[in-house]
Amino acid sequence: MGQDQTKQQIEKGLQLYQSNQTEKALQVWTKVLEKSSDLMGRFRVLGCLVTAHSEMGRYKEMLKFAVVQIDTARELEDADFLLESYLNLARSNEKLCEFHKTISYCKTCLGLPGTRAGAQLGGQVSLSMGNAFLGLSVFQKALESFEKALRYAHNNDDAMLECRVCCSLGSFYAQVKESMKIALQHGDRPLQALCLLCFADIHRSRGDLETAFPRYDSAMSIMTEIGNRLGQVQALLGVAKCWVARKALDKALDAIERAQDLAEEVGNKLSQLKLHCLSESIYRSKGLQRELRAHVVRFHECVEETELYCGLCGESIGEKNSRLQALPCSHIFHLRCLQNNGTRSCPNCRRSSMKPGFV
């Protein structure tokens, strides 16, 4: 079956599918898959089969076609097709409740080089990752992913994606609410504080600052009571973001200063990075260059201390969407740097790196 005939049969299947003749559409697409030699057509029909089986609740079949689509995308050697196929693979695993695999495939999507499809599919990748984190009850990371997906939806005027994110946020809120009920019944103060933080973050993401502030205050009170300094940092960071949203930058800086002191006491570099990054944006908007430079310097010092940079080119890891490669010794580099380096051992510790893994 040639390219033109493949295209005609795909369109025929779509017409049948849209007229609710699903089984007939599947038969047409399956026949195309068996007989067509056109790689582009095969990729497209595999996408149709993945979507159809997803909507029919046949998730194992969905996964089967998603795996075949990955192989086809690799043959096409096109980054856009590879991104789409990895997203379908992530969604398939999400439907089958294989949440760790979902997160792994979503990270692969985000680690692919910049593509034309990235702006369109990035929100869906974040949504799928958020659903996976929610399935694992990792509430904070779930909310961060949903917020990213919502930003994609707003930036691209994608009403359907926004609707799907709101549905997931509803499930998120229900799960956190149930967790809060259990925490109250059992007198679990740490869990109560975590739930309050999640509630506060939800309201902040919705722009409901009047509700977010007291939730952060309650979380802060419990975190102080139980001696959780890292939890206090998270609460203060949320408060600072609320003040930034209200354009009360001096109050935001006060909250950041308190959080920074706690983060330094604990020695948590990741929290310090987040706080320096937020401080940079505030001082940049205020036009205070001396303070801005001080936080930029401290930010890069934290990056060096946490070794969040490529040991070959020296660039920070995470500032750009670059594909990374982890060696068996756990040292991480930009993939392009390792390829250009041409060595078979780790540039840092010189251990053998015959079988590296991808991040």
Side-chain angles (χ1 to χ4, degrees), residues 22-32:
T22 306
E23 292 299 335
K24 289 183 178 179
L26 291 176
Q27 289 172 11
V28 171
W29 288 331
T30 303
K31 191 174 180 181
V32 171

Side-chain angles (χ1 to χ4, degrees), residues 223-291:
M223 292 295 188
T224 304
E225 175 192 328
I226 64 178
N228 187 336
R229 287 179 291 176
L230 190 56
Q232 294 174 52
V233 172
Q234 292 174 325
L236 287 166
L237 179 59
V239 169
K241 289 179 178 178
C242 286
W243 286 125
V244 169
R246 281 192 169 179
K247 308 297 183 185
L249 302 185
D250 289 333
K251 290 184 177 181
L253 288 170
D254 287 341
I256 290 171
E257 186 177 351
R258 290 170 62 197
Q260 195 69 262
D261 289 341
L262 287 164
E264 288 176 3
E265 285 178 17
V266 175
N268 188 280
K269 300 298 181 184
L270 183 58
S271 294
Q272 291 178 47
L273 281 169
K274 291 179 180 178
L275 292 163
H276 285 302
C277 192
L278 184 57
S279 297
E280 281 181 42
S281 64
I282 292 173
Y283 284 119
R284 185 173 285 108
S285 64
K286 289 169 73 76
L288 299 175
Q289 295 301 316
R290 185 168 61 85
E291 290 83 354

Side-chain angles (χ1 to χ4, degrees), residues 6 85 134 215 236 335 342:
T6 297
S85 55
L134 183 58
R215 295 290 172 89
L236 287 166
L335 176 60

Side-chain angles (χ1 to χ4, degrees), residues 91 124 127 131 159-169:
R91 283 173 170 170
Q124 296 178 40
L127 174 59
N131 289 334
M160 183 59 71
L161 175 60
E162 183 177 359
C163 181
R164 291 174 61 202
V165 175
C166 288
C167 288
S168 292
L169 280 170

Side-chain angles (χ1 to χ4, degrees), residues 339-353:
Q339 289 173 335
N340 294 335
N341 188 52
T343 181
R344 297 173 71 84
S345 61
C346 175
N348 276 13
C349 64
R350 302 301 173 188
R351 291 183 185 176
S352 173
S353 55

